[in-house]
Amino acid sequence: HGVIRCNGNDSSSSNDNDDQYRYRLLYLPCRNRGEILRLILEESRVPYEVEVVGFQNWIDGVKQTTPHGKCPVLRIRDPSTRTDTDT
């Protein structure tokens, strides 16, 4: 399980810079349905994070936290409240 930051300003490694990452794509480590979402985010050049979930972590509990137990999940963070919305 890990998070990869993409298209962001990596000049600061502090948590104060986390607000620039408004989008987080949760996905398994394979190319499939989530690849289109990732390519759209990449082409739009917005800062985003890819949360890579291993198969064992998926089975052990991450699946229960996703809408309908399915993947991919695009989480959109509201910077004013710092809460996530799953889509």
PDB file of all heavy atoms in Angstrom, residues 19-36:
ATOM      1  N   ASP A  19      -2.518  20.408   0.490  1.00  0.00           N
ATOM      2  CA  ASP A  19      -3.755  20.939  -0.087  1.00  0.00           C
ATOM      3  C   ASP A  19      -3.718  20.991  -1.602  1.00  0.00           C
ATOM      4  O   ASP A  19      -4.763  21.038  -2.238  1.00  0.00           O
ATOM      5  CB  ASP A  19      -4.055  22.327   0.471  1.00  0.00           C
ATOM      6  CG  ASP A  19      -4.556  22.268   1.898  1.00  0.00           C
ATOM      7  OD1 ASP A  19      -5.005  21.186   2.319  1.00  0.00           O
ATOM      8  OD2 ASP A  19      -4.481  23.293   2.587  1.00  0.00           O
ATOM      9  N   GLN A  20      -2.534  20.995  -2.198  1.00  0.00           N
ATOM     10  CA  GLN A  20      -2.469  21.043  -3.657  1.00  0.00           C
ATOM     11  C   GLN A  20      -2.935  19.729  -4.281  1.00  0.00           C
ATOM     12  O   GLN A  20      -3.325  19.701  -5.431  1.00  0.00           O
ATOM     13  CB  GLN A  20      -1.062  21.381  -4.130  1.00  0.00           C
ATOM     14  CG  GLN A  20      -0.058  20.258  -3.965  1.00  0.00           C
ATOM     15  CD  GLN A  20       1.268  20.583  -4.624  1.00  0.00           C
ATOM     16  OE1 GLN A  20       1.289  21.206  -5.667  1.00  0.00           O
ATOM     17  NE2 GLN A  20       2.341  20.173  -4.003  1.00  0.00           N
ATOM     18  N   TYR A  21      -2.916  18.649  -3.522  1.00  0.00           N
ATOM     19  CA  TYR A  21      -3.339  17.348  -4.033  1.00  0.00           C
ATOM     20  C   TYR A  21      -4.814  17.145  -3.728  1.00  0.00           C
ATOM     21  O   TYR A  21      -5.190  16.548  -2.738  1.00  0.00           O
ATOM     22  CB  TYR A  21      -2.485  16.227  -3.435  1.00  0.00           C
ATOM     23  CG  TYR A  21      -1.045  16.346  -3.840  1.00  0.00           C
ATOM     24  CD1 TYR A  21      -0.111  16.931  -3.004  1.00  0.00           C
ATOM     25  CD2 TYR A  21      -0.637  15.886  -5.080  1.00  0.00           C
ATOM     26  CE1 TYR A  21       1.205  17.048  -3.397  1.00  0.00           C
ATOM     27  CE2 TYR A  21       0.685  15.999  -5.477  1.00  0.00           C
ATOM     28  CZ  TYR A  21       1.597  16.594  -4.632  1.00  0.00           C
ATOM     29  OH  TYR A  21       2.896  16.706  -5.031  1.00  0.00           O
ATOM     30  N   ARG A  22      -5.673  17.686  -4.597  1.00  0.00           N
ATOM     31  CA  ARG A  22      -7.114  17.637  -4.372  1.00  0.00           C
ATOM     32  C   ARG A  22      -7.702  16.293  -4.795  1.00  0.00           C
ATOM     33  O   ARG A  22      -8.722  15.859  -4.277  1.00  0.00           O
ATOM     34  CB  ARG A  22      -7.767  18.765  -5.152  1.00  0.00           C
ATOM     35  CG  ARG A  22      -9.230  18.855  -4.901  1.00  0.00           C
ATOM     36  CD  ARG A  22      -9.829  20.102  -5.488  1.00  0.00           C
ATOM     37  NE  ARG A  22     -11.269  20.068  -5.264  1.00  0.00           N
ATOM     38  CZ  ARG A  22     -12.132  20.672  -6.014  1.00  0.00           C
ATOM     39  NH1 ARG A  22     -11.741  21.386  -7.017  1.00  0.00           N
ATOM     40  NH2 ARG A  22     -13.410  20.583  -5.745  1.00  0.00           N
ATOM     41  N   TYR A  23      -7.077  15.612  -5.747  1.00  0.00           N
ATOM     42  CA  TYR A  23      -7.588  14.355  -6.280  1.00  0.00           C
ATOM     43  C   TYR A  23      -6.707  13.188  -5.853  1.00  0.00           C
ATOM     44  O   TYR A  23      -5.482  13.298  -5.875  1.00  0.00           O
ATOM     45  CB  TYR A  23      -7.641  14.399  -7.811  1.00  0.00           C
ATOM     46  CG  TYR A  23      -8.479  15.533  -8.335  1.00  0.00           C
ATOM     47  CD1 TYR A  23      -7.899  16.703  -8.781  1.00  0.00           C
ATOM     48  CD2 TYR A  23      -9.860  15.422  -8.360  1.00  0.00           C
ATOM     49  CE1 TYR A  23      -8.672  17.747  -9.251  1.00  0.00           C
ATOM     50  CE2 TYR A  23     -10.648  16.463  -8.829  1.00  0.00           C
ATOM     51  CZ  TYR A  23     -10.041  17.624  -9.270  1.00  0.00           C
ATOM     52  OH  TYR A  23     -10.805  18.648  -9.727  1.00  0.00           O
ATOM     53  N   ARG A  24      -7.343  12.094  -5.462  1.00  0.00           N
ATOM     54  CA  ARG A  24      -6.617  10.866  -5.138  1.00  0.00           C
ATOM     55  C   ARG A  24      -7.326   9.697  -5.810  1.00  0.00           C
ATOM     56  O   ARG A  24      -8.505   9.460  -5.601  1.00  0.00           O
ATOM     57  CB  ARG A  24      -6.557  10.631  -3.638  1.00  0.00           C
ATOM     58  CG  ARG A  24      -5.832   9.320  -3.308  1.00  0.00           C
ATOM     59  CD  ARG A  24      -5.729   9.082  -1.834  1.00  0.00           C
ATOM     60  NE  ARG A  24      -4.587   9.810  -1.335  1.00  0.00           N
ATOM     61  CZ  ARG A  24      -4.037   9.581  -0.156  1.00  0.00           C
ATOM     62  NH1 ARG A  24      -4.520   8.669   0.645  1.00  0.00           N
ATOM     63  NH2 ARG A  24      -3.006  10.280   0.236  1.00  0.00           N
ATOM     64  N   LEU A  25      -6.566   8.979  -6.623  1.00  0.00           N
ATOM     65  CA  LEU A  25      -7.088   7.820  -7.340  1.00  0.00           C
ATOM     66  C   LEU A  25      -6.643   6.566  -6.610  1.00  0.00           C
ATOM     67  O   LEU A  25      -5.456   6.309  -6.477  1.00  0.00           O
ATOM     68  CB  LEU A  25      -6.559   7.821  -8.781  1.00  0.00           C
ATOM     69  CG  LEU A  25      -6.944   6.637  -9.655  1.00  0.00           C
ATOM     70  CD1 LEU A  25      -8.458   6.584  -9.857  1.00  0.00           C
ATOM     71  CD2 LEU A  25      -6.228   6.726 -10.996  1.00  0.00           C
ATOM     72  N   LEU A  26      -7.607   5.813  -6.094  1.00  0.00           N
ATOM     73  CA  LEU A  26      -7.318   4.554  -5.412  1.00  0.00           C
ATOM     74  C   LEU A  26      -7.441   3.436  -6.436  1.00  0.00           C
ATOM     75  O   LEU A  26      -8.460   3.334  -7.122  1.00  0.00           O
ATOM     76  CB  LEU A  26      -8.319   4.337  -4.274  1.00  0.00           C
ATOM     77  CG  LEU A  26      -8.123   3.032  -3.511  1.00  0.00           C
ATOM     78  CD1 LEU A  26      -7.908   3.308  -2.048  1.00  0.00           C
ATOM     79  CD2 LEU A  26      -9.306   2.125  -3.724  1.00  0.00           C
ATOM     80  N   TYR A  27      -6.397   2.632  -6.547  1.00  0.00           N
ATOM     81  CA  TYR A  27      -6.407   1.606  -7.570  1.00  0.00           C
ATOM     82  C   TYR A  27      -5.479   0.462  -7.221  1.00  0.00           C
ATOM     83  O   TYR A  27      -4.554   0.617  -6.425  1.00  0.00           O
ATOM     84  CB  TYR A  27      -6.021   2.210  -8.925  1.00  0.00           C
ATOM     85  CG  TYR A  27      -6.525   1.404 -10.082  1.00  0.00           C
ATOM     86  CD1 TYR A  27      -7.877   1.146 -10.224  1.00  0.00           C
ATOM     87  CD2 TYR A  27      -5.667   0.873 -11.007  1.00  0.00           C
ATOM     88  CE1 TYR A  27      -8.366   0.391 -11.269  1.00  0.00           C
ATOM     89  CE2 TYR A  27      -6.138   0.119 -12.068  1.00  0.00           C
ATOM     90  CZ  TYR A  27      -7.478  -0.118 -12.193  1.00  0.00           C
ATOM     91  OH  TYR A  27      -7.948  -0.873 -13.213  1.00  0.00           O
ATOM     92  N   LEU A  28      -5.728  -0.675  -7.834  1.00  0.00           N
ATOM     93  CA  LEU A  28      -4.863  -1.849  -7.682  1.00  0.00           C
ATOM     94  C   LEU A  28      -3.684  -1.729  -8.660  1.00  0.00           C
ATOM     95  O   LEU A  28      -3.793  -1.029  -9.665  1.00  0.00           O
ATOM     96  CB  LEU A  28      -5.664  -3.121  -7.963  1.00  0.00           C
ATOM     97  CG  LEU A  28      -6.839  -3.352  -7.015  1.00  0.00           C
ATOM     98  CD1 LEU A  28      -7.730  -4.462  -7.544  1.00  0.00           C
ATOM     99  CD2 LEU A  28      -6.358  -3.673  -5.630  1.00  0.00           C
ATOM    100  N   PRO A  29      -2.577  -2.395  -8.387  1.00  0.00           N
ATOM    101  CA  PRO A  29      -1.383  -2.242  -9.234  1.00  0.00           C
ATOM    102  C   PRO A  29      -1.495  -2.989 -10.569  1.00  0.00           C
ATOM    103  O   PRO A  29      -0.797  -3.964 -10.813  1.00  0.00           O
ATOM    104  CB  PRO A  29      -0.260  -2.802  -8.366  1.00  0.00           C
ATOM    105  CG  PRO A  29      -0.921  -3.798  -7.497  1.00  0.00           C
ATOM    106  CD  PRO A  29      -2.308  -3.256  -7.241  1.00  0.00           C
ATOM    107  N   CYS A  30      -2.405  -2.533 -11.416  1.00  0.00           N
ATOM    108  CA  CYS A  30      -2.545  -3.113 -12.759  1.00  0.00           C
ATOM    109  C   CYS A  30      -3.173  -2.057 -13.665  1.00  0.00           C
ATOM    110  O   CYS A  30      -3.807  -1.126 -13.199  1.00  0.00           O
ATOM    111  CB  CYS A  30      -3.395  -4.376 -12.728  1.00  0.00           C
ATOM    112  SG  CYS A  30      -5.053  -4.146 -12.107  1.00  0.00           S
ATOM    113  N   ARG A  31      -2.972  -2.215 -14.941  1.00  0.00           N
ATOM    114  CA  ARG A  31      -3.588  -1.300 -15.902  1.00  0.00           C
ATOM    115  C   ARG A  31      -4.946  -1.860 -16.282  1.00  0.00           C
ATOM    116  O   ARG A  31      -5.059  -2.983 -16.739  1.00  0.00           O
ATOM    117  CB  ARG A  31      -2.716  -1.170 -17.142  1.00  0.00           C
ATOM    118  CG  ARG A  31      -1.492  -0.381 -16.895  1.00  0.00           C
ATOM    119  CD  ARG A  31      -0.747  -0.228 -18.182  1.00  0.00           C
ATOM    120  NE  ARG A  31       0.151   0.897 -18.075  1.00  0.00           N
ATOM    121  CZ  ARG A  31       0.961   1.265 -19.030  1.00  0.00           C
ATOM    122  NH1 ARG A  31       0.992   0.601 -20.162  1.00  0.00           N
ATOM    123  NH2 ARG A  31       1.749   2.290 -18.863  1.00  0.00           N
ATOM    124  N   ASN A  32      -5.946  -1.032 -16.089  1.00  0.00           N
ATOM    125  CA  ASN A  32      -7.290  -1.484 -16.395  1.00  0.00           C
ATOM    126  C   ASN A  32      -8.216  -0.280 -16.391  1.00  0.00           C
ATOM    127  O   ASN A  32      -7.871   0.748 -16.967  1.00  0.00           O
ATOM    128  CB  ASN A  32      -7.731  -2.545 -15.392  1.00  0.00           C
ATOM    129  CG  ASN A  32      -8.639  -3.589 -16.007  1.00  0.00           C
ATOM    130  OD1 ASN A  32      -9.199  -3.376 -17.064  1.00  0.00           O
ATOM    131  ND2 ASN A  32      -8.781  -4.710 -15.334  1.00  0.00           N
ATOM    132  N   ARG A  33      -9.330  -0.349 -15.685  1.00  0.00           N
ATOM    133  CA  ARG A  33     -10.315   0.735 -15.702  1.00  0.00           C
ATOM    134  C   ARG A  33      -9.782   2.049 -15.149  1.00  0.00           C
ATOM    135  O   ARG A  33     -10.200   3.111 -15.560  1.00  0.00           O
ATOM    136  CB  ARG A  33     -11.558   0.318 -14.925  1.00  0.00           C
ATOM    137  CG  ARG A  33     -12.293  -0.825 -15.577  1.00  0.00           C
ATOM    138  CD  ARG A  33     -13.561  -1.147 -14.863  1.00  0.00           C
ATOM    139  NE  ARG A  33     -13.291  -1.518 -13.487  1.00  0.00           N
ATOM    140  CZ  ARG A  33     -14.221  -1.793 -12.602  1.00  0.00           C
ATOM    141  NH1 ARG A  33     -15.478  -1.722 -12.943  1.00  0.00           N
ATOM    142  NH2 ARG A  33     -13.905  -2.140 -11.377  1.00  0.00           N
ATOM    143  N   GLY A  34      -8.873   2.004 -14.203  1.00  0.00           N
ATOM    144  CA  GLY A  34      -8.336   3.220 -13.596  1.00  0.00           C
ATOM    145  C   GLY A  34      -7.352   3.953 -14.473  1.00  0.00           C
ATOM    146  O   GLY A  34      -7.036   5.120 -14.233  1.00  0.00           O
ATOM    147  N   GLU A  35      -6.869   3.302 -15.501  1.00  0.00           N
ATOM    148  CA  GLU A  35      -5.869   3.920 -16.369  1.00  0.00           C
ATOM    149  C   GLU A  35      -6.439   5.135 -17.102  1.00  0.00           C
ATOM    150  O   GLU A  35      -5.756   6.142 -17.254  1.00  0.00           O
ATOM    151  CB  GLU A  35      -5.332   2.895 -17.362  1.00  0.00           C
ATOM    152  CG  GLU A  35      -4.113   3.346 -18.108  1.00  0.00           C
ATOM    153  CD  GLU A  35      -2.878   3.521 -17.237  1.00  0.00           C
ATOM    154  OE1 GLU A  35      -2.859   3.091 -16.073  1.00  0.00           O
ATOM    155  OE2 GLU A  35      -1.914   4.106 -17.742  1.00  0.00           O
ATOM    156  N   ILE A  36      -7.681   5.066 -17.533  1.00  0.00           N
ATOM    157  CA  ILE A  36      -8.304   6.208 -18.215  1.00  0.00           C
ATOM    158  C   ILE A  36      -8.386   7.406 -17.280  1.00  0.00           C
ATOM    159  O   ILE A  36      -8.055   8.528 -17.664  1.00  0.00           O
ATOM    160  CB  ILE A  36      -9.717   5.842 -18.737  1.00  0.00           C
ATOM    161  CG1 ILE A  36      -9.617   4.762 -19.812  1.00  0.00           C
ATOM    162  CG2 ILE A  36     -10.448   7.067 -19.257  1.00  0.00           C
ATOM    163  CD1 ILE A  36      -8.906   5.181 -21.070  1.00  0.00           C
TER     164      ILE A  36
END
